[in-house]
Amino acid sequence: MAVDSGCKVDAVIDKYGLASTDPVYDTLDDGLLARWTGADDRTEMGYRSLTAWFNKRLLKQVYTEHGRETLDTRVDSDYDTLRGDDDLRRDELIERLQATGIPGASLHDDMVSWGTMRTHLNDCLDGEKEPRKATTNWEQESVATAKTVVERKAETALSSLAKKGDIDGGDTAEIEAQIQLGCPDCPTRVPFDVALERGYVCKQHRSANLSTHNS
């Protein structure tokens, strides 16, 4: 059964017995905070990258317990499939996992969103960190503002639908708007934050696009 109550991150940690893999930290929560804040000279991680790290940590532990290969390439590939938009590929992978005794469906459902991770770090763990200073960040702020507007409008609409009885629980649902960037040359799509962090939308067509823009 998938986790469905309380703090989902803590519930997943308890359900799967996830422990810290770093001898410096006694608990996985301590490690999450350190990675998020950049403590002990660590590279500071954002909500999305930390969420991916946590979910892959979960995936790797379950794979280990069931004797499935845990190479980074395998875990990364399966994670991308489980969290991707291709329903057919995801369902096929879940079926293959379940055929080997791994609860693929509940494992997929138990993976957390970046919004859940954000709430866990800020509210459950009372985490704090200084905001990044940028020489020019109006562009990021504009995108963040646009997302906030969308989420507020969606919240109002969902509340109305819940009152009409069209969506049960719509007034308490977690709303997450996302700005997606698509490559003009292939189906690749990535979140705005990811593209900004790595500096490109599509690695395969990065050079081609740069050449076109510079010509």
Side-chain angles (χ1 to χ4, degrees):
M1 179 180 295
V3 174
D4 59 4
S5 62
C7 171
K8 186 172 182 179
V9 176
D10 279 336
V12 169
I13 290 175
D14 291 341
K15 177 179 178 179
Y16 292 92
L18 298 179
S20 174
T21 57
D22 192 325
V24 176
Y25 307 110
D26 294 331
T27 67
L28 187 56
D29 275 341
D30 290 338
L32 287 173
L33 275 176
R35 286 176 169 80
W36 180 53
T37 60
D40 302 323
D41 296 324
R42 290 181 173 275
T43 299
E44 184 178 315
M45 297 177 70
Y47 296 124
R48 293 184 187 280
S49 55
L50 191 58
T51 298
W53 179 88
F54 178 84
N55 286 334
K56 290 177 183 180
R57 170 79 179 80
L58 165 63
L59 200 60
K60 183 171 289 190
Q61 173 151 323
V62 173
Y63 280 10
T64 297
E65 292 173 351
H66 288 81
R68 185 174 174 83
E69 182 182 305
T70 58
L71 292 175
D72 288 345
T73 52
R74 159 74 75 171
V75 173
D76 289 345
S77 176
D78 285 0
Y79 176 71
D80 289 342
T81 299
L82 288 171
R83 300 294 288 179
D85 297 327
D86 192 325
D87 294 340
L88 179 59
R89 287 188 59 197
R90 181 174 62 250
D91 291 345
E92 288 177 344
L93 175 57
I94 288 176
E95 289 180 2
R96 291 200 301 272
L97 292 176
Q98 294 187 162
T100 61
I102 297 175
S106 60
L107 182 60
H108 166 262
D109 292 340
D110 286 343
M111 290 182 175
V112 304
S113 68
W114 77 269
T116 298
M117 179 61 69
R118 176 183 59 189
T119 300
H120 181 65
L121 293 168
N122 288 279
D123 298 343
C124 299
L125 302 184
D126 294 323
E128 293 183 359
K129 72 174 180 177
E130 292 295 326
R132 280 186 187 174
K133 294 182 180 180
T135 54
T136 56
N137 60 0
W138 68 266
E139 300 93 342
Q140 296 94 307
E141 291 175 357
S142 295
V143 172
T145 299
K147 289 173 60 179
T148 300
V149 171
V150 170
E151 288 171 353
R152 287 177 179 171
K153 288 184 177 294
E155 183 179 1
T156 300
L158 283 172
S159 178
S160 177
L161 290 170
K163 290 178 181 178
K164 294 178 181 177
D166 293 337
I167 300 181
D168 184 25
D171 53 341
T172 58
E174 179 180 313
I175 299 172
E176 178 183 335
Q178 188 177 90
I179 305 298
Q180 292 273 353
L181 303 183
C183 175
D185 300 312
C186 73
T188 297
R189 297 179 65 85
V190 297
F192 167 79
D193 292 344
V194 173
L196 181 63
E197 181 177 348
R198 67 188 189 184
Y200 57 86
V201 173
C202 174
K203 184 176 182 179
Q204 180 180 357
H205 297 106
R206 181 185 182 189
S207 298
N209 289 334
L210 285 175
S211 298
T212 300
H213 293 160
N214 290 332
S215 60

